């Protein structure tokens, strides 16, 4: 389970929270948009760029996380035959969503130091039997070069994006 924010957790400055909320909004906006019909010429192919949201928005990442994602992406393309077909999405923690009912259910932000904000986001990729589905995701934002950027994601199972990428890189490197 993700840590519960203490009552004494300090809220971020309004302008900082607005920036990270905007990043989150841009990540999740495409999930509630219908997938366009494929052109008759067969040229449509979904973007499976590592770290991009469903609509292709590439959130700002810290330099170290961006480098890790880049290395992971290159190694997976070289080592994983089915990499391009992998539809698992870091942000919705799913492979499919129902655009008609997908939504951000809740979001709460807390300051975790002068240049750190954590955002606990609950995104539902769709309703099932009248209930929102989804698992909480903890975004860790860091101010780098004067801008707020994603520094890590912590999933419900307590694993983190950084740890998962590092484990995959290590395993792919052993196969070489």
């Amino acid at each position: 389970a993700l840590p519960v924010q203490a009552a004494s957790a300090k809220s971020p400055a309004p302008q900082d929270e607005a920036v990270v909320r905007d990043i989150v909004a841009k990540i999740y906006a495409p999930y509630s948009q219908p997938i366009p019909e494929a052109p008759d010429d067969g040229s449509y192919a979904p973007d499976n760029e590592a770290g991009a949201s469903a609509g292709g928005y590439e959130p700002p990442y810290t330099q170290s996380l961006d480098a890790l994602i880049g290395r992971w992406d290159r190694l997976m393309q070289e080592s994983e035959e089915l990499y391009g077909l992998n539809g698992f999405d870091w942000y919705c923690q799913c492979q499919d969503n129902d655009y008609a009912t997908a939504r951000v259910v809740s979001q709460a932000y807390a300051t975790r130091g002068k240049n750190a904000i954590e955002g606990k986001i609950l995104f539902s990729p769709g309703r099932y039997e009248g209930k929102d589905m989804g698992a909480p995701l903890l975004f860790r934002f860091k101010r780098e070069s004067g801008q707020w950027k994603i520094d890590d994601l912590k999933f419900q199972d307590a694993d983190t994006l950084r740890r998962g990428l590092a484990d995959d890189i290590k395993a792919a490197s052993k196969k070489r």
Side-chain angles (χ1 to χ4, degrees):
L2 293 174
V4 177
Q5 293 182 10
S8 62
K10 184 177 176 188
S11 295
Q15 66 273 17
D16 293 332
E17 185 172 329
V19 171
V20 295
R21 278 182 178 270
D22 185 55
I23 293 168
V24 169
K26 287 177 181 173
I27 288 171
Y28 288 112
Y31 296 96
S32 60
Q33 303 298 317
I35 296 173
E37 291 291 322
D40 291 336
D41 66 4
S43 62
Y44 171 79
D47 181 8
N48 196 30
E49 186 70 28
S53 72
Y57 169 67
E58 294 186 33
Y61 295 113
T62 57
Q63 286 181 342
S64 62
L65 182 57
D66 194 43
L68 191 61
I69 291 170
R71 184 164 182 226
W72 175 85
D73 187 42
R74 286 186 300 280
L75 280 171
M76 291 302 104
Q77 288 183 36
E78 292 171 11
S79 66
E80 295 295 324
E81 186 176 314
L82 299 177
Y83 171 74
L85 299 176
N86 181 3
F88 185 80
D89 184 290
W90 299 337
Y91 304 107
C92 84
Q93 302 177 73
C94 64
Q95 285 189 295
D96 299 305
N97 67 286
D98 174 18
Y99 74 87
T101 60
R103 69 188 184 101
V104 173
V105 175
S106 64
Q107 54 186 313
Y109 298 91
T111 300
R112 296 293 184 232
K114 183 178 179 184
N115 293 308
I117 294 175
E118 284 186 352
K120 185 176 181 182
I121 310 301
L122 179 57
F123 172 74
S124 173
R127 294 180 68 81
Y128 179 73
E129 296 181 358
K131 296 179 181 176
D132 285 309
M133 305 303 288
L137 180 63
L138 189 67
F139 280 74
R140 292 188 172 138
F141 293 94
K142 182 178 177 183
R143 189 187 330 251
E144 184 178 79
S145 302
Q147 297 181 348
W148 286 105
K149 299 178 181 183
I150 297 172
D151 191 47
D152 204 357
L153 300 172
K154 185 174 182 182
F155 303 102
Q156 182 181 14
D157 66 2
D159 201 5
T160 68
L161 178 61
R162 282 181 179 274
R163 189 173 26 245
L165 295 172
D167 289 348
D168 286 353
I169 289 168
K170 185 177 179 180
S173 297
K174 287 181 180 181
K175 291 180 184 180
R176 296 175 125 197

